[in-house]
Amino acid sequence: MAPSSPVRRFGQVIRLKMDCVDEYKACHAKAWPEVLEQIKDSNIEDYSIWYDDKNGLLFASMKYVGNNFEDDMRRMAENPKVREWWKMTDSYQESLVDGAVSSENGEWWKTLEEVFYLA
């Protein structure tokens, strides 16, 4: 039996364009099965996105439970359906990452530092 990796938790934030709130919520209410399958196949679990309507921010939290994060994220980025999804959802968002271009071209959501956790 292979040794298990410690679970890695991620928190990320991005701005949602005010005129795209309804479209963003609608597409996530009917998220594409191929994208959801790829997320699971990439060892992402317990994935949630939250919306702050006062500040226009989306907050995502997830757990990575795999053994090779870089390979899993590469495989996700190679999936044509995921890239199509990113192109659509990126158009609703404004990255908070300096110099960010798109989800396909590096960090799009700003990764946050975890400062407290209680299991």
Side-chain angles (χ1 to χ4, degrees):
M1 178 186 291
S4 63
S5 307
V7 172
R8 292 172 59 187
R9 291 179 302 280
F10 290 88
Q12 299 175 313
V13 66
I14 199 164
R15 185 169 311 285
L16 182 60
K17 295 175 183 175
M18 297 305 288
D19 59 340
C20 296
V21 173
D22 292 339
E23 295 97 323
Y24 189 83
K25 288 180 179 182
C27 75
H28 281 81
K30 295 184 179 182
W32 300 348
E34 303 91 341
V35 173
L36 299 177
E37 182 179 339
Q38 183 64 61
I39 291 170
K40 289 179 182 181
D41 288 349
S42 298
N43 294 301
I44 300 292
E45 295 182 354
D46 200 18
Y47 186 22
S48 298
I49 300 175
W50 306 81
Y51 178 57
D52 177 354
D53 62 348
K54 181 177 180 184
N55 295 304
L57 296 176
L58 294 168
F59 171 75
S61 64
M62 67 192 85
K63 294 178 183 174
Y64 176 73
V65 297
N67 293 310
N68 193 325
F69 182 75
E70 290 74 21
D71 278 355
D72 283 333
M73 296 307 101
R74 179 189 44 75
R75 281 188 304 105
M76 185 180 308
E78 290 172 351
N79 183 315
K81 207 63 172 168
V82 169
R83 288 196 311 272
E84 184 181 347
W85 176 265
W86 285 347
K87 185 174 181 179
M88 176 182 63
T89 58
D90 284 6
S91 73
Y92 304 145
Q93 303 163 340
E94 296 173 358
S95 181
L96 302 175
V97 177
D98 291 338
V101 176
S102 70
S103 292
E104 285 189 76
N105 296 307
E107 188 177 12
W108 181 246
W109 285 65
K110 181 177 177 58
T111 300
L112 303 175
E113 176 187 0
E114 182 177 77
V115 296
F116 178 77
Y117 174 74
L118 174 67

